[in-house]
Amino acid sequence: MTAHRTGRVRATLMAGALALSLGACGVSDALVGLHPAPSESPRSAPLDVEAATAVAARVLGAAEQARSATGPTAKTKRADVLVGDALTLATLVRPATATEAPLTATPEPTVLAMSSGRAWPRAMLVGTLDEATATQYLHVLVSATAEEAYRLVSTAPMLPGATLPALGPVTDGASYLTGASKETIGELTPAAAVTAYASALTVPRPAKVDKRVAVTDAFSGGLLRSAAAQAKALGKLATLGQAHKAAAPTITGFRLADGGAVLFTLLTRTDAITVKAGAKEILLPAEYKKLTGKAKATKAVTLTSLEPVILLVSNTGTVSVIG
């Protein structure tokens, strides 16, 4: 017992003497393994990739379950993990044959970007792949305050063949954008970019179109071709008007490495069919018949639908759709 205690005392004394000796001789901290803590960039991402991936997998898994929840607790379950556009779409009354985008189609989601800095809100951009259809999905997760967990705010499939430009190293962080952001991409704020795209889908086509907006992709071109076909089907008995609008609070996005941006929003589309004077009734085009459940109309018909989109805004301010 005594020998053991003496050994411990000697070790302590020797360590103390060594420390005093090193201090007196002015030996460099580096020689004894002492280094300042690595500096942390205030602009870097708030999580490492491993932690962010775990968060994304948890949120997407919970969102998948919440979207299919039924019963009296379904609303609460959705609100716990969904917010914004994702919550709006999840609460819509859908046809029995409707299918929703899968959220957990891959074993592990891929974190593509995280908002920079340590302040809130914090956001991350996540990708998943539905191997059954070879469709790439993009999701935006947001933690609004220090007290709130990440929730799914937006999700949409990418168009076939579309690509997402580089966002830079994930841990470096990327600027998180909202509809309230005043910084510009080219000459456009996020809200202005979305408004320009929505205006480009107007039917009848305006005399002057914004040349910065491309509508030749499969989604935009499909909408315009469909509207033209519906208008033709109505003939001289009725007119078709189609307008798109996005509310600024629904816009989220991230800056790209080259200064451009990827934006997510939920467009509200309004179709207005007006029966012309002298026409007693009209036969509704097949698309509207399916939605209204009516084959004919004797007066104006207005339909409202929601369309989630992913916009790509170049660093020169041109706007195109990738999802």
Side-chain angles (χ1 to χ4, degrees):
M1 178 77 96
T2 304
H4 178 66
R5 203 183 289 153
T6 303
R8 290 182 62 186
V9 171
R10 282 179 183 165
T12 303
L13 290 174
M14 289 179 65
L18 179 60
L20 289 172
S21 175
L22 290 174
C25 296
V27 177
S28 169
D29 287 346
L31 294 179
V32 294
L34 299 176
H35 303 278
S39 59
E40 184 181 71
S41 171
R43 295 290 301 165
S44 62
L47 300 173
D48 60 35
V49 175
E50 183 177 0
T53 301
V55 169
R58 174 184 59 78
V59 173
L60 293 179
E64 186 88 79
Q65 294 179 350
R67 289 195 315 185
S68 59
T70 57
T73 62
K75 184 176 181 180
T76 300
K77 288 180 179 178
R78 292 192 187 104
D80 284 343
V81 72
L82 304 173
V83 69
D85 296 352
L87 182 58
T88 298
L89 291 172
T91 55
L92 289 178
V93 177
R94 297 168 178 264
T97 56
T99 57
E100 291 187 291
L103 298 178
T104 55
T106 52
E108 187 174 82
T110 301
V111 177
L112 303 172
M114 283 186 280
S115 56
S116 57
R118 297 298 187 266
W120 276 266
R122 295 179 177 181
M124 63 176 75
L125 176 60
V126 179
T128 58
L129 174 67
D130 179 8
E131 295 182 342
T133 61
T135 302
Q136 180 80 40
Y137 288 85
L138 296 180
H139 319 273
V140 179
L141 280 57
V142 174
S143 170
T145 68
E147 292 74 30
E148 292 186 25
Y150 279 91
R151 291 187 289 177
L152 179 65
V153 68
S154 185
T155 185
M158 292 184 67
L159 295 175
T163 58
L164 177 66
L167 290 113
V170 175
T171 52
D172 283 0
S175 293
Y176 174 57
L177 304 171
T178 69
S181 299
K182 299 303 181 184
E183 60 181 286
T184 57
I185 312 110
E187 298 178 349
L188 299 171
T189 63
V194 171
T195 298
Y197 174 71
S199 297
L201 298 177
T202 301
V203 175
R205 303 289 289 144
K208 185 178 181 181
V209 296
D210 193 332
K211 295 182 179 180
R212 296 173 298 183
V213 181
V215 290
T216 55
D217 60 274
F219 175 74
S220 308
L223 286 177
L224 294 175
R225 286 191 297 272
S226 176
Q230 307 300 341
K232 184 177 180 180
L234 291 171
K236 298 180 179 180
L237 299 177
T239 59
L240 171 66
Q242 200 173 88
H244 287 76
K245 185 178 180 180
T250 74
I251 302 170
T252 59
F254 296 84
R255 277 280 193 180
L256 301 172
D258 66 359
V262 57
L263 302 176
F264 297 75
T265 192
L266 189 63
L267 295 178
T268 300
R269 168 182 155 186
T270 303
D271 292 45
I273 298 176
T274 304
V275 179
K276 291 184 178 180
K280 293 182 179 180
E281 64 178 21
I282 60 169
L283 294 176
L284 290 176
E287 179 181 344
Y288 299 108
K289 178 181 177 181
K290 182 178 180 180
L291 292 172
T292 63
K294 298 178 180 179
K296 301 177 181 180
T298 58
K299 54 184 180 180
V301 177
T302 302
L303 298 173
T304 301
S305 56
L306 299 176
E307 297 167 342
V309 295
I310 308 173
L311 299 181
L312 186 64
V313 187
S314 73
N315 55 17
T316 59
T318 58
V319 183
S320 57
V321 176
I322 61 171

